[in-house]
mmCIF file of all heavy atoms in Angstrom:
data_model
loop_
_atom_site.group_PDB
_atom_site.id
_atom_site.type_symbol
_atom_site.label_atom_id
_atom_site.label_comp_id
_atom_site.label_asym_id
_atom_site.label_seq_id
_atom_site.Cartn_x
_atom_site.Cartn_y
_atom_site.Cartn_z
ATOM 1 N N THR Q 1 74.393 131.080 149.118
ATOM 2 C CA THR Q 1 75.352 129.910 148.966
ATOM 3 C C THR Q 1 74.605 128.786 148.393
ATOM 4 O O THR Q 1 73.352 128.728 148.413
ATOM 5 C CB THR Q 1 75.992 129.540 150.278
ATOM 6 O OG1 THR Q 1 74.933 129.148 151.225
ATOM 7 C CG2 THR Q 1 76.762 130.757 150.851
ATOM 8 N N GLY Q 2 75.300 127.797 147.989
ATOM 9 C CA GLY Q 2 74.769 126.609 147.411
ATOM 10 C C GLY Q 2 75.078 126.527 145.957
ATOM 11 O O GLY Q 2 76.053 127.045 145.517
ATOM 12 N N SER Q 3 74.313 125.762 145.213
ATOM 13 C CA SER Q 3 74.561 125.596 143.744
ATOM 14 C C SER Q 3 74.337 126.908 143.100
ATOM 15 O O SER Q 3 74.995 127.127 142.066
ATOM 16 C CB SER Q 3 73.686 124.487 143.169
ATOM 17 O OG SER Q 3 72.313 124.798 143.389
ATOM 18 N N ALA Q 4 73.583 127.805 143.532
ATOM 19 C CA ALA Q 4 73.407 129.220 142.992
ATOM 20 C C ALA Q 4 74.041 130.169 144.004
ATOM 21 O O ALA Q 4 73.982 129.917 145.176
ATOM 22 C CB ALA Q 4 71.964 129.502 142.753
ATOM 23 N N ASN Q 5 74.632 131.247 143.486
ATOM 24 C CA ASN Q 5 75.178 132.230 144.406
ATOM 25 C C ASN Q 5 74.541 133.602 144.409
ATOM 26 O O ASN Q 5 74.915 134.504 145.099
ATOM 27 C CB ASN Q 5 76.701 132.269 144.335
ATOM 28 C CG ASN Q 5 77.183 132.464 142.933
ATOM 29 O OD1 ASN Q 5 76.411 132.708 141.953
ATOM 30 N ND2 ASN Q 5 78.461 132.285 142.717
ATOM 31 N N LEU Q 6 73.442 133.693 143.607
ATOM 32 C CA LEU Q 6 72.632 134.956 143.559
ATOM 33 C C LEU Q 6 71.190 134.479 143.542
ATOM 34 O O LEU Q 6 70.720 133.529 142.829
ATOM 35 C CB LEU Q 6 72.840 135.825 142.345
ATOM 36 C CG LEU Q 6 74.014 136.713 142.309
ATOM 37 C CD1 LEU Q 6 74.128 137.365 140.977
ATOM 38 C CD2 LEU Q 6 73.950 137.747 143.412
ATOM 39 N N LEU Q 7 70.315 135.122 144.341
ATOM 40 C CA LEU Q 7 68.867 134.955 144.275
ATOM 41 C C LEU Q 7 68.285 136.286 143.863
ATOM 42 O O LEU Q 7 68.545 137.307 144.468
ATOM 43 C CB LEU Q 7 68.443 134.536 145.671
ATOM 44 C CG LEU Q 7 66.865 134.412 145.766
ATOM 45 C CD1 LEU Q 7 66.248 133.376 144.836
ATOM 46 C CD2 LEU Q 7 66.446 134.065 147.225
ATOM 47 N N VAL Q 8 67.479 136.261 142.819
ATOM 48 C CA VAL Q 8 66.854 137.398 142.252
ATOM 49 C C VAL Q 8 65.315 137.190 142.169
ATOM 50 O O VAL Q 8 64.887 136.186 141.529
ATOM 51 C CB VAL Q 8 67.426 137.716 140.811
ATOM 52 C CG1 VAL Q 8 66.848 139.039 140.224
ATOM 53 C CG2 VAL Q 8 68.937 137.814 140.895
ATOM 54 N N ALA Q 9 64.588 138.111 142.729
ATOM 55 C CA ALA Q 9 63.086 138.077 142.612
ATOM 56 C C ALA Q 9 62.672 139.019 141.514
ATOM 57 O O ALA Q 9 63.046 140.230 141.451
ATOM 58 C CB ALA Q 9 62.480 138.458 143.939
ATOM 59 N N VAL Q 10 61.874 138.524 140.567
ATOM 60 C CA VAL Q 10 61.454 139.251 139.329
ATOM 61 C C VAL Q 10 59.957 139.369 139.319
ATOM 62 O O VAL Q 10 59.268 138.355 139.543
ATOM 63 C CB VAL Q 10 61.984 138.562 138.128
ATOM 64 C CG1 VAL Q 10 61.581 139.295 136.859
ATOM 65 C CG2 VAL Q 10 63.561 138.424 138.145
ATOM 66 N N ALA Q 11 59.432 140.544 138.859
ATOM 67 C CA ALA Q 11 58.070 140.781 138.648
ATOM 68 C C ALA Q 11 57.901 141.247 137.237
ATOM 69 O O ALA Q 11 58.647 142.142 136.755
ATOM 70 C CB ALA Q 11 57.435 141.754 139.595
ATOM 71 N N ALA Q 12 56.920 140.654 136.484
ATOM 72 C CA ALA Q 12 56.801 141.027 135.093
ATOM 73 C C ALA Q 12 55.291 141.174 134.767
ATOM 74 O O ALA Q 12 54.476 140.577 135.433
ATOM 75 C CB ALA Q 12 57.456 139.990 134.118
ATOM 76 N N ALA Q 13 54.971 141.863 133.663
ATOM 77 C CA ALA Q 13 53.539 142.055 133.254
ATOM 78 C C ALA Q 13 52.945 140.737 132.921
ATOM 79 O O ALA Q 13 51.659 140.617 133.076
ATOM 80 C CB ALA Q 13 53.548 142.932 132.049
ATOM 81 N N GLY Q 14 53.626 139.760 132.477
ATOM 82 C CA GLY Q 14 53.030 138.431 132.126
ATOM 83 C C GLY Q 14 54.121 137.433 131.795
ATOM 84 O O GLY Q 14 55.298 137.797 131.853
ATOM 85 N N LEU Q 15 53.729 136.245 131.424
ATOM 86 C CA LEU Q 15 54.780 135.250 131.091
ATOM 87 C C LEU Q 15 55.601 135.619 129.934
ATOM 88 O O LEU Q 15 56.774 135.317 129.866
ATOM 89 C CB LEU Q 15 54.112 133.935 130.878
ATOM 90 C CG LEU Q 15 53.472 133.242 132.185
ATOM 91 C CD1 LEU Q 15 52.756 131.877 131.793
ATOM 92 C CD2 LEU Q 15 54.519 133.047 133.177
ATOM 93 N N ASP Q 16 55.020 136.263 128.872
ATOM 94 C CA ASP Q 16 55.827 136.692 127.775
ATOM 95 C C ASP Q 16 56.823 137.708 128.192
ATOM 96 O O ASP Q 16 58.014 137.624 127.738
ATOM 97 C CB ASP Q 16 54.906 137.311 126.638
ATOM 98 C CG ASP Q 16 54.062 136.289 125.900
ATOM 99 O OD1 ASP Q 16 54.418 135.077 126.011
ATOM 100 O OD2 ASP Q 16 53.073 136.649 125.314
ATOM 101 N N ALA Q 17 56.444 138.662 129.044
ATOM 102 C CA ALA Q 17 57.415 139.697 129.497
ATOM 103 C C ALA Q 17 58.530 139.003 130.305
ATOM 104 O O ALA Q 17 59.676 139.414 130.298
ATOM 105 C CB ALA Q 17 56.691 140.760 130.319
ATOM 106 N N LEU Q 18 58.109 138.054 131.127
ATOM 107 C CA LEU Q 18 59.157 137.308 131.957
ATOM 108 C C LEU Q 18 60.112 136.642 131.083
ATOM 109 O O LEU Q 18 61.329 136.638 131.264
ATOM 110 C CB LEU Q 18 58.481 136.365 132.847
ATOM 111 C CG LEU Q 18 59.308 135.519 133.771
ATOM 112 C CD1 LEU Q 18 60.224 136.388 134.661
ATOM 113 C CD2 LEU Q 18 58.450 134.537 134.541
ATOM 114 N N HIS Q 19 59.584 135.923 130.003
ATOM 115 C CA HIS Q 19 60.442 135.229 129.053
ATOM 116 C C HIS Q 19 61.369 136.163 128.343
ATOM 117 O O HIS Q 19 62.569 135.913 128.251
ATOM 118 C CB HIS Q 19 59.583 134.530 128.006
ATOM 119 C CG HIS Q 19 60.382 133.772 127.047
ATOM 120 N ND1 HIS Q 19 60.781 134.237 125.859
ATOM 121 C CD2 HIS Q 19 61.023 132.556 127.156
ATOM 122 C CE1 HIS Q 19 61.494 133.403 125.127
ATOM 123 N NE2 HIS Q 19 61.682 132.314 125.900
ATOM 124 N N ARG Q 20 60.950 137.360 127.920
ATOM 125 C CA ARG Q 20 61.807 138.367 127.332
ATOM 126 C C ARG Q 20 62.872 138.795 128.263
ATOM 127 O O ARG Q 20 64.032 138.979 127.876
ATOM 128 C CB ARG Q 20 60.991 139.547 126.805
ATOM 129 C CG ARG Q 20 60.314 139.281 125.481
ATOM 130 C CD ARG Q 20 59.724 140.512 124.804
ATOM 131 N NE ARG Q 20 58.847 141.279 125.753
ATOM 132 C CZ ARG Q 20 57.503 140.992 125.930
ATOM 133 N NH1 ARG Q 20 57.005 140.011 125.331
ATOM 134 N NH2 ARG Q 20 56.815 141.739 126.774
ATOM 135 N N PHE Q 21 62.458 139.030 129.529
ATOM 136 C CA PHE Q 21 63.402 139.522 130.551
ATOM 137 C C PHE Q 21 64.522 138.431 130.739
ATOM 138 O O PHE Q 21 65.682 138.784 130.778
ATOM 139 C CB PHE Q 21 62.792 139.743 131.925
ATOM 140 C CG PHE Q 21 63.730 140.157 132.961
ATOM 141 C CD1 PHE Q 21 64.217 141.397 133.038
ATOM 142 C CD2 PHE Q 21 64.102 139.240 133.912
ATOM 143 C CE1 PHE Q 21 65.139 141.770 134.020
ATOM 144 C CE2 PHE Q 21 64.996 139.529 134.892
ATOM 145 C CZ PHE Q 21 65.546 140.790 134.971
ATOM 146 N N LEU Q 22 64.140 137.154 130.825
ATOM 147 C CA LEU Q 22 65.157 136.091 130.990
ATOM 148 C C LEU Q 22 66.033 135.962 129.691
ATOM 149 O O LEU Q 22 67.247 135.879 129.777
ATOM 150 C CB LEU Q 22 64.489 134.763 131.147
ATOM 151 C CG LEU Q 22 63.692 134.619 132.548
ATOM 152 C CD1 LEU Q 22 62.926 133.340 132.579
ATOM 153 C CD2 LEU Q 22 64.634 134.765 133.737
ATOM 154 N N SER Q 23 65.444 136.023 128.562
ATOM 155 C CA SER Q 23 66.178 135.845 127.310
ATOM 156 C C SER Q 23 67.059 137.070 126.955
ATOM 157 O O SER Q 23 68.279 136.945 126.789
ATOM 158 C CB SER Q 23 65.239 135.589 126.095
ATOM 159 O OG SER Q 23 64.562 134.457 126.330
ATOM 160 N N ASP Q 24 66.421 138.207 127.010
ATOM 161 C CA ASP Q 24 67.135 139.452 126.505
ATOM 162 C C ASP Q 24 68.004 140.088 127.619
ATOM 163 O O ASP Q 24 69.198 140.452 127.341
ATOM 164 C CB ASP Q 24 66.175 140.449 126.039
ATOM 165 C CG ASP Q 24 65.314 139.933 124.812
ATOM 166 O OD1 ASP Q 24 65.755 138.946 124.248
ATOM 167 O OD2 ASP Q 24 64.261 140.596 124.564
ATOM 168 N N THR Q 25 67.461 140.259 128.772
ATOM 169 C CA THR Q 25 68.172 140.997 129.795
ATOM 170 C C THR Q 25 69.210 140.044 130.568
ATOM 171 O O THR Q 25 70.357 140.312 130.604
ATOM 172 C CB THR Q 25 67.196 141.596 130.813
ATOM 173 O OG1 THR Q 25 66.290 142.484 130.181
ATOM 174 C CG2 THR Q 25 67.979 142.399 131.946
ATOM 175 N N VAL Q 26 68.666 139.013 131.134
ATOM 176 C CA VAL Q 26 69.562 138.107 131.909
ATOM 177 C C VAL Q 26 70.525 137.401 130.926
ATOM 178 O O VAL Q 26 71.702 137.234 131.219
ATOM 179 C CB VAL Q 26 68.740 137.068 132.719
ATOM 180 C CG1 VAL Q 26 69.576 136.060 133.419
ATOM 181 C CG2 VAL Q 26 67.819 137.768 133.713
ATOM 182 N N GLY Q 27 70.041 137.001 129.791
ATOM 183 C CA GLY Q 27 70.784 136.312 128.841
ATOM 184 C C GLY Q 27 72.018 137.121 128.356
ATOM 185 O O GLY Q 27 73.043 136.575 127.898
ATOM 186 N N ALA Q 28 71.999 138.466 128.451
ATOM 187 C CA ALA Q 28 73.085 139.304 127.987
ATOM 188 C C ALA Q 28 74.087 139.603 129.083
ATOM 189 O O ALA Q 28 75.085 140.229 128.853
ATOM 190 C CB ALA Q 28 72.463 140.609 127.474
ATOM 191 N N VAL Q 29 73.828 139.153 130.287
ATOM 192 C CA VAL Q 29 74.730 139.470 131.378
ATOM 193 C C VAL Q 29 75.994 138.510 131.410
ATOM 194 O O VAL Q 29 75.739 137.293 131.326
ATOM 195 C CB VAL Q 29 73.965 139.335 132.790
ATOM 196 C CG1 VAL Q 29 74.938 139.558 133.907
ATOM 197 C CG2 VAL Q 29 72.865 140.372 132.849
ATOM 198 N N ASP Q 30 77.153 139.077 131.394
ATOM 199 C CA ASP Q 30 78.351 138.286 131.451
ATOM 200 C C ASP Q 30 78.446 137.558 132.810
ATOM 201 O O ASP Q 30 77.813 137.962 133.789
ATOM 202 C CB ASP Q 30 79.532 139.180 131.317
ATOM 203 C CG ASP Q 30 79.680 139.783 129.870
ATOM 204 O OD1 ASP Q 30 79.143 139.098 128.991
ATOM 205 O OD2 ASP Q 30 80.240 140.844 129.806
ATOM 206 N N HIS Q 31 79.223 136.496 132.857
ATOM 207 C CA HIS Q 31 79.554 135.724 134.139
ATOM 208 C C HIS Q 31 78.533 134.835 134.548
ATOM 209 O O HIS Q 31 78.773 134.073 135.528
ATOM 210 C CB HIS Q 31 79.937 136.708 135.237
ATOM 211 C CG HIS Q 31 81.058 137.696 134.929
ATOM 212 N ND1 HIS Q 31 82.301 137.324 134.482
ATOM 213 C CD2 HIS Q 31 80.948 139.033 134.798
ATOM 214 C CE1 HIS Q 31 82.984 138.443 134.272
ATOM 215 N NE2 HIS Q 31 82.221 139.482 134.447
ATOM 216 N N ILE Q 32 77.351 134.794 133.964
ATOM 217 C CA ILE Q 32 76.298 133.802 134.421
ATOM 218 C C ILE Q 32 76.616 132.458 133.788
ATOM 219 O O ILE Q 32 76.664 132.364 132.539
ATOM 220 C CB ILE Q 32 74.916 134.293 134.047
ATOM 221 C CG1 ILE Q 32 74.534 135.539 134.834
ATOM 222 C CG2 ILE Q 32 73.830 133.207 134.329
ATOM 223 C CD1 ILE Q 32 73.147 136.179 134.575
ATOM 224 N N THR Q 33 76.758 131.471 134.625
ATOM 225 C CA THR Q 33 77.050 130.073 134.035
ATOM 226 C C THR Q 33 75.851 129.247 134.133
ATOM 227 O O THR Q 33 75.811 128.155 133.431
ATOM 228 C CB THR Q 33 78.214 129.516 134.771
ATOM 229 O OG1 THR Q 33 77.915 129.409 136.188
ATOM 230 C CG2 THR Q 33 79.520 130.313 134.632
ATOM 231 N N ALA Q 34 74.864 129.497 135.002
ATOM 232 C CA ALA Q 34 73.655 128.677 135.093
ATOM 233 C C ALA Q 34 72.596 129.524 135.677
ATOM 234 O O ALA Q 34 72.757 130.518 136.453
ATOM 235 C CB ALA Q 34 73.927 127.447 135.999
ATOM 236 N N LEU Q 35 71.292 129.172 135.357
ATOM 237 C CA LEU Q 35 70.147 129.878 135.786
ATOM 238 C C LEU Q 35 68.994 128.879 135.969
ATOM 239 O O LEU Q 35 68.722 128.092 135.076
ATOM 240 C CB LEU Q 35 69.746 130.961 134.810
ATOM 241 C CG LEU Q 35 68.394 131.652 135.052
ATOM 242 C CD1 LEU Q 35 68.468 132.566 136.170
ATOM 243 C CD2 LEU Q 35 67.913 132.344 133.770
ATOM 244 N N GLU Q 36 68.330 128.981 137.116
ATOM 245 C CA GLU Q 36 67.108 128.249 137.377
ATOM 246 C C GLU Q 36 66.047 129.246 137.720
ATOM 247 O O GLU Q 36 66.173 130.014 138.636
ATOM 248 C CB GLU Q 36 67.223 127.182 138.458
ATOM 249 C CG GLU Q 36 65.982 126.384 138.637
ATOM 250 C CD GLU Q 36 66.182 125.299 139.718
ATOM 251 O OE1 GLU Q 36 67.334 124.883 140.009
ATOM 252 O OE2 GLU Q 36 65.119 124.829 140.241
ATOM 253 N N ALA Q 37 64.896 129.217 136.939
ATOM 254 C CA ALA Q 37 63.794 130.129 137.162
ATOM 255 C C ALA Q 37 62.660 129.354 137.864
ATOM 256 O O ALA Q 37 62.238 128.335 137.321
ATOM 257 C CB ALA Q 37 63.343 130.797 135.931
ATOM 258 N N THR Q 38 62.251 129.829 138.967
ATOM 259 C CA THR Q 38 61.121 129.196 139.778
ATOM 260 C C THR Q 38 59.960 130.179 139.822
ATOM 261 O O THR Q 38 59.955 131.172 140.470
ATOM 262 C CB THR Q 38 61.563 128.937 141.228
ATOM 263 O OG1 THR Q 38 62.738 128.204 141.271
ATOM 264 C CG2 THR Q 38 60.477 128.168 141.942
ATOM 265 N N PRO Q 39 58.900 129.874 138.954
ATOM 266 C CA PRO Q 39 57.742 130.711 138.947
ATOM 267 C C PRO Q 39 57.088 130.692 140.344
ATOM 268 O O PRO Q 39 56.966 129.668 141.009
ATOM 269 C CB PRO Q 39 56.829 130.116 137.878
ATOM 270 C CG PRO Q 39 57.690 129.126 137.102
ATOM 271 C CD PRO Q 39 58.758 128.752 138.016
ATOM 272 N N ILE Q 40 56.467 131.854 140.745
ATOM 273 C CA ILE Q 40 55.689 131.904 141.878
ATOM 274 C C ILE Q 40 54.239 131.755 141.427
ATOM 275 O O ILE Q 40 53.708 132.633 140.715
ATOM 276 C CB ILE Q 40 55.928 133.237 142.646
ATOM 277 C CG1 ILE Q 40 57.390 133.312 143.101
ATOM 278 C CG2 ILE Q 40 54.964 133.449 143.829
ATOM 279 C CD1 ILE Q 40 57.783 134.643 143.677
ATOM 280 N N LEU Q 41 53.576 130.696 141.913
ATOM 281 C CA LEU Q 41 52.290 130.406 141.477
ATOM 282 C C LEU Q 41 51.183 131.162 142.232
ATOM 283 O O LEU Q 41 50.204 131.786 141.686
ATOM 284 C CB LEU Q 41 51.971 128.933 141.629
ATOM 285 C CG LEU Q 41 52.846 128.030 140.788
ATOM 286 C CD1 LEU Q 41 52.513 126.595 141.058
ATOM 287 C CD2 LEU Q 41 52.858 128.374 139.328
ATOM 288 N N THR Q 42 51.336 131.321 143.598
ATOM 289 C CA THR Q 42 50.421 132.074 144.415
ATOM 290 C C THR Q 42 51.164 132.457 145.688
ATOM 291 O O THR Q 42 52.070 131.755 146.102
ATOM 292 C CB THR Q 42 49.148 131.249 144.695
ATOM 293 O OG1 THR Q 42 48.259 132.123 145.387
ATOM 294 C CG2 THR Q 42 49.351 130.122 145.536
ATOM 295 N N GLY Q 43 50.809 133.565 146.221
ATOM 296 C CA GLY Q 43 51.424 133.995 147.501
ATOM 297 C C GLY Q 43 50.495 133.868 148.716
ATOM 298 O O GLY Q 43 49.293 134.164 148.531
ATOM 299 N N VAL Q 44 50.923 133.504 149.828
ATOM 300 C CA VAL Q 44 50.165 133.391 151.066
ATOM 301 C C VAL Q 44 50.520 134.477 151.991
ATOM 302 O O VAL Q 44 49.670 135.034 152.678
ATOM 303 C CB VAL Q 44 50.320 132.016 151.707
ATOM 304 C CG1 VAL Q 44 49.525 131.945 153.010
ATOM 305 C CG2 VAL Q 44 49.876 130.916 150.766
ATOM 306 N N LYS Q 45 51.810 134.845 152.065
ATOM 307 C CA LYS Q 45 52.257 135.925 152.972
ATOM 308 C C LYS Q 45 53.386 136.694 152.400
ATOM 309 O O LYS Q 45 54.335 136.188 151.761
ATOM 310 C CB LYS Q 45 52.745 135.195 154.219
ATOM 311 C CG LYS Q 45 53.254 136.092 155.351
ATOM 312 C CD LYS Q 45 53.715 135.371 156.547
ATOM 313 C CE LYS Q 45 54.177 136.368 157.609
ATOM 314 N NZ LYS Q 45 54.531 135.652 158.873
#
């Protein structure tokens, strides 16, 4: 809930692959009206 109604965790080979996934895959999905991508810089747990 909130301003976004789906949360999706994505893993990619690199930033170029992540960009292609966002542009080509997510960009082609109907019904998406907004998207905010939050990169994960490092994981602790």
Side-chain angles (χ1 to χ4, degrees):
T1 62
S3 58
N5 47 12
L6 278 176
L7 174 60
V8 181
V10 178
L15 291 177
D16 288 342
L18 178 60
H19 181 262
R20 280 192 307 278
F21 177 79
L22 293 173
S23 298
D24 301 343
T25 302
V26 177
V29 175
D30 292 333
H31 309 296
I32 293 179
T33 59
L35 169 74
E36 182 177 340
T38 306
I40 297 173
L41 301 178
T42 187
V44 177
K45 181 177 181 177

